Amino acid sequence: MKIVVPSYKRAGNVLTRKVFPDSMLAIHEFEEDLYKEKEGGELLIVPDNMRGNIAKVRNYILDNVESERIIMADDDIRGMGYHENGKQNVMNYKRLLEFIDNGYSMCKDLGARLWGVNLQSDPMFYHEFQPITLLGVVLGTFSCHYKPELRYDESLYLNEDYDFFLKNILKYRKVLRYKKYYYMADHLDMKGGCGAYRLKDTEIEQAKIMQKRWGSKVFRFDIEKSTNGRVRIPIPGT
């Protein structure tokens, strides 16, 4: 298993390294020396011509990391937690690795190629008697790939993870998501990352591509309410 953290302009401030100390950072050539100095550890050097296109970076990781189990985690994850007995708990490293191992085992048994966790830590998004779903959205913030065959669409430099999720649903009819477990990330509070090139006009343009591809009933988007899209899978059980 390899845990790979794409990172951009956050040398010395990669929160995910505290959660996954043995993770590999995927960084661009122009920042190599800075990351070596401020982060150290294992680095995957991504060509500079892929800057500004996270889909290309994700494909580069899938194509160049030799493992059947590849986890991609954003560099701003500050913890992984779970709901139990009405309380929210943070996983220590040992439990986290055990959870991941079990997740891959279930993913394999189900015949899925992608799995992940709840996108929200808020208890209102967790139902005690529905600990998993096979149609819940799994995004790039924490995405676990098992023997990945599909690749991200490099024409999408935003919403590429929504598109990748939908392609997995279309091909395998399932994606495993644990609703009991979740990540905690500081997307809005950190400089760098995709925020370095996200603009309102770009968000709208990319969302229109998604709606043309998948239909407005499957991918919904309202820039005035959120920069995140909403997905509805037209399969019974959603």
Side-chain angles (χ1 to χ4, degrees):
M1 178 184 72
K2 295 295 291 188
I3 301 169
V4 187
V5 179
S7 188
Y8 182 66
K9 292 188 176 182
R10 286 177 177 165
N13 196 28
V14 178
L15 299 184
T16 311
R17 266 278 175 83
K18 297 178 181 178
V19 182
F20 297 104
D22 297 328
S23 57
M24 171 194 291
L25 301 185
I27 54 101
H28 290 290
E29 292 174 295
F30 80 102
E31 293 190 285
E32 181 177 356
D33 291 340
L34 191 58
Y35 271 85
K36 282 182 177 179
E37 175 190 347
K38 295 192 174 185
E39 294 289 346
E42 190 173 7
L43 302 176
L44 175 67
I45 309 304
V46 179
D48 280 343
N49 60 12
M50 296 183 178
R51 289 172 63 179
N53 190 319
I54 187 61
K56 289 185 177 181
V57 174
R58 295 192 187 283
N59 286 341
Y60 189 84
I61 291 169
L62 295 179
D63 291 337
N64 290 277
V65 174
E66 295 183 4
S67 177
E68 292 184 344
R69 300 177 171 190
I70 300 174
I71 295 175
M72 279 190 242
D74 281 3
D75 62 2
D76 53 7
I77 293 178
R78 55 183 168 81
M80 301 285 295
Y82 63 98
H83 302 284
E84 192 166 271
N85 299 324
K87 297 181 179 179
Q88 292 176 270
N89 308 273
V90 178
M91 284 187 279
N92 60 36
Y93 190 50
K94 180 180 179 181
R95 173 153 186 173
L96 182 51
L97 292 182
E98 290 174 350
F99 164 66
I100 290 173
D101 189 58
N102 290 335
Y104 271 108
S105 294
M106 183 174 286
C107 184
K108 178 181 178 181
D109 290 344
L110 289 170
R113 296 298 182 98
L114 179 68
W115 72 275
V117 298
N118 207 322
L119 311 183
Q120 301 281 349
S121 60
D122 192 321
M124 70 173 290
F125 291 93
Y126 169 61
H127 303 287
E128 186 175 355
F129 299 105
Q130 296 178 347
I132 67 169
T133 173
L134 299 182
L135 297 172
V137 177
V138 168
L139 297 181
T141 303
F142 185 79
S143 55
C144 305
H145 305 258
Y146 175 65
K147 292 185 177 180
E149 295 179 337
L150 298 175
R151 291 296 183 266
Y152 290 85
D153 187 338
E154 296 181 1
S155 69
L156 289 169
Y157 41 92
L158 296 175
N159 296 320
E160 84 295 334
D161 46 359
Y162 284 96
D163 182 72
F164 186 77
F165 162 76
L166 288 168
K167 290 198 308 190
N168 270 269
I169 290 290
L170 183 62
K171 181 169 183 177
Y172 303 110
R173 312 303 286 181
K174 64 180 76 72
V175 165
L176 171 63
R177 188 174 94 178
Y178 286 88
K179 299 170 73 174
K180 176 177 179 176
Y181 296 85
Y182 54 84
Y183 54 74
M184 296 167 284
D186 292 337
H187 294 320
L188 300 178
D189 301 324
M190 294 180 64
K191 296 180 180 179
C194 290
Y197 56 84
R198 296 188 84 140
L199 300 172
K200 183 176 180 180
D201 289 346
T202 306
E203 296 274 5
I204 295 172
E205 174 191 335
Q206 293 282 290
K208 287 181 177 179
I209 294 174
M210 284 289 293
Q211 289 185 326
K212 184 177 181 180
R213 177 173 301 173
W214 296 103
S216 58
K217 292 184 178 180
V218 173
F219 185 83
R220 301 177 183 180
F221 185 82
D222 186 343
I223 190 65
E224 302 304 326
K225 292 183 179 181
S226 174
T227 56
N228 297 317
R230 297 183 64 186
V231 172
R232 182 182 182 280
I233 309 299
I235 299 176
T238 56

